[in-house]
Amino acid sequence: MALAPRVVITWWRGVDRTLLFTILALIVTGLLLSMAASPAAADRLGYSDPFHFIYRQGVFATLSVAGLLFVSSLSAKGARRLAALALLGSLVLMLALPFIGHEVKGATRWIRIGSFGLQPSEFLKPALIVTAAWLFAEEKRGAPIPGRIIAFGIYLASVALLMIQPDFGQTVLLTLCFGGVFFISGLSWIWVVGLGGLAAAGSAAAYMTFPHIASRVDRFINPESGDNYQIERAVEAISRGGVAGVGPGEGEVKHFLPDAHTDFIFSVAAEEFGLLASLSIIGLFSIFVIRAWMQAMRLTDHFAQLAVAGLGLQFGLQALVNIAVNLNLIPPKGMTLPFVSYGGSSMLALAFGAGLLLAFTRRRPGAYSSRYAI
């Protein structure tokens, strides 16, 4: 048997197919919704080709699946080292953003490479989760390194770079994921109270320091205090959809909603395909997160447990935040719906994180406790 087919067969036998097929289902869902939302976005933004965003999303999806399969085929050690390199690269690029970054809507978060915009913070999230998980696990097993101190130092540096951009939404998500991994690693309740207090103080400081954050919170609490055009249109789209939706391509709100193909793609799905499609999307994310956490509990390696639980938390929280914004349950955050929203940098980074998760959950000798059937 040739080496390549043997490697593929070994990978196929070991990979968690529930997670894999759930990810692929979300990517296909994103492509279908892109066909619904992108022509209106292309027309609104002045592109002559109505399929401009659909073609690009197809390219991003293809590259993402290829990257996902490659990363998922790595050994646990190889995946961890790749995450460390990604963390280092993300921090370096974020340091360079004030000098070479591209400003959009008052924030400098992207590096322009031709027509492609790279957002380093998207790759930072899964890389930091995995690296922090390794540092926490190493300290717990007695390695002569101050794992928690180093992890906190990296986290604080990441938060500082995010707030310079500024990007409060990613800061909150990164903080919740980092705190989740820390808690699972054996955090005492004293740390829980202390870190919770620091998080509350940081949020209050952000509210008083950054006018755009204060404006979003004020408009959420008191809608009459400012412009809530996007949120109002999103809620309108969801209410128009009803149970079965108005039909593919028949949605109207997407023609007026500026970010219909990105942050508010869930509203497009709700309008055109109704409550049933919305619940199906939520169901896919639920399956992904529950399966990831189930596998984390079955793993024997403490580092892999922390990394898988943290990565699952990242995907779940990001989806929760996006959907909650669409439903006007929390202030707008400017966060994509994983694998569903249009966006090359986001799609590639999410595929990278999902690939890491699949690599750590692959069945290999001694990876899982014999108490559990796999």
Side-chain angles (χ1 to χ4, degrees):
M1 183 182 293
L3 178 60
R6 187 182 306 145
V7 170
V8 172
I9 291 172
T10 301
W11 171 85
W12 176 249
R13 288 175 176 172
V15 74
D16 189 306
R17 296 172 203 174
T18 300
L19 288 171
L20 176 63
F21 288 136
T22 303
I23 295 166
L24 294 178
L26 286 168
I27 292 175
V28 171
T29 300
L31 290 172
L32 293 174
L33 291 177
S34 181
M35 294 176 65
S38 294
D43 179 66
R44 190 173 57 251
L45 296 174
Y47 290 99
S48 58
D49 185 357
F51 302 109
H52 171 81
F53 292 109
I54 298 174
Y55 292 147
R56 289 175 63 88
Q57 185 77 341
V59 172
F60 295 144
T62 301
L63 293 175
S64 296
V65 171
L68 168 78
L69 296 178
F70 168 73
V71 176
S72 69
S73 68
L74 298 175
S75 65
K77 181 180 291 187
R80 190 224 334 139
R81 289 175 175 174
L82 181 61
L85 288 175
L87 175 63
L88 178 61
S90 298
L91 290 173
V92 170
L93 290 177
M94 289 172 67
L95 276 170
L97 276 177
F99 309 101
I100 63 174
H102 178 68
E103 183 176 330
V104 178
K105 298 180 181 179
T108 307
R109 304 170 186 170
W110 292 268
I111 295 174
R112 298 298 299 180
I113 305 173
S115 61
F116 175 71
L118 176 68
Q119 189 174 356
S121 62
E122 293 285 0
F123 293 87
L124 174 74
K125 290 180 293 187
L128 178 60
I129 288 169
V130 172
T131 303
W134 178 72
L135 289 168
F136 292 150
E138 285 296 291
E139 181 170 305
K140 188 165 186 177
R141 75 175 181 86
I145 59 171
R148 292 186 177 183
I149 295 176
I150 296 173
F152 264 98
I154 298 172
Y155 161 72
L156 292 174
S158 301
V159 167
L161 291 172
L162 283 169
M163 295 308 293
I164 289 173
Q165 295 179 10
D167 193 338
F168 185 68
Q170 297 281 23
T171 301
V172 171
L173 180 60
L174 186 69
T175 298
L176 291 173
C177 293
F178 180 82
V181 173
F182 194 11
F183 181 79
I184 298 169
S185 71
L187 179 67
S188 70
W189 284 106
I190 295 176
W191 278 95
V192 171
V193 174
L195 292 177
L198 285 175
S203 298
Y207 177 84
M208 293 183 289
T209 303
F210 298 98
H212 74 284
I213 294 176
S215 175
R216 289 183 179 183
V217 174
D218 291 342
R219 282 182 283 134
F220 174 75
I221 296 173
N222 179 19
E224 303 300 325
S225 64
D227 178 25
N228 287 291
Y229 179 80
Q230 292 217 92
I231 295 297
E232 291 170 357
R233 298 289 78 74
V235 173
E236 178 186 346
I238 293 171
S239 63
R240 287 188 75 251
V243 175
V246 298
E250 298 300 320
E252 296 181 3
V253 177
K254 65 187 179 185
H255 295 283
F256 310 102
L257 192 59
D259 295 326
H261 61 310
T262 55
D263 300 345
F264 291 94
I265 193 73
F266 185 80
S267 298
V268 175
E271 181 181 20
E272 299 200 358
F273 302 98
L275 177 65
L276 298 178
S278 302
L279 292 177
S280 297
I281 293 172
I282 294 172
L284 286 173
F285 283 112
S286 300
I287 291 171
F288 182 89
V289 175
I290 292 171
R291 179 65 177 180
W293 287 350
M294 286 175 59
Q295 296 297 72
M297 290 189 293
R298 295 167 174 169
L299 290 164
T300 56
D301 180 64
H302 187 51
F303 155 65
Q305 287 181 325
L306 295 178
V308 170
L311 290 169
L313 183 63
Q314 179 207 332
F315 281 89
L317 284 176
Q318 185 164 334
L320 180 64
V321 167
N322 178 275
I323 294 171
V325 167
N326 277 256
L327 295 172
N328 197 24
L329 297 177
I330 60 174
K333 295 291 184 182
M335 200 167 293
T336 59
L337 187 60
F339 294 118
V340 179
S341 295
Y342 169 84
S345 189
S346 173
M347 176 79 79
L348 292 171
L350 289 163
F352 171 64
L356 292 173
L357 194 152
L358 289 174
F360 295 133
T361 56
R362 279 221 330 272
R363 281 174 285 183
R364 50 177 67 89
Y368 287 92
S369 171
S370 58
R371 294 180 299 165
Y372 298 101
I374 304 300

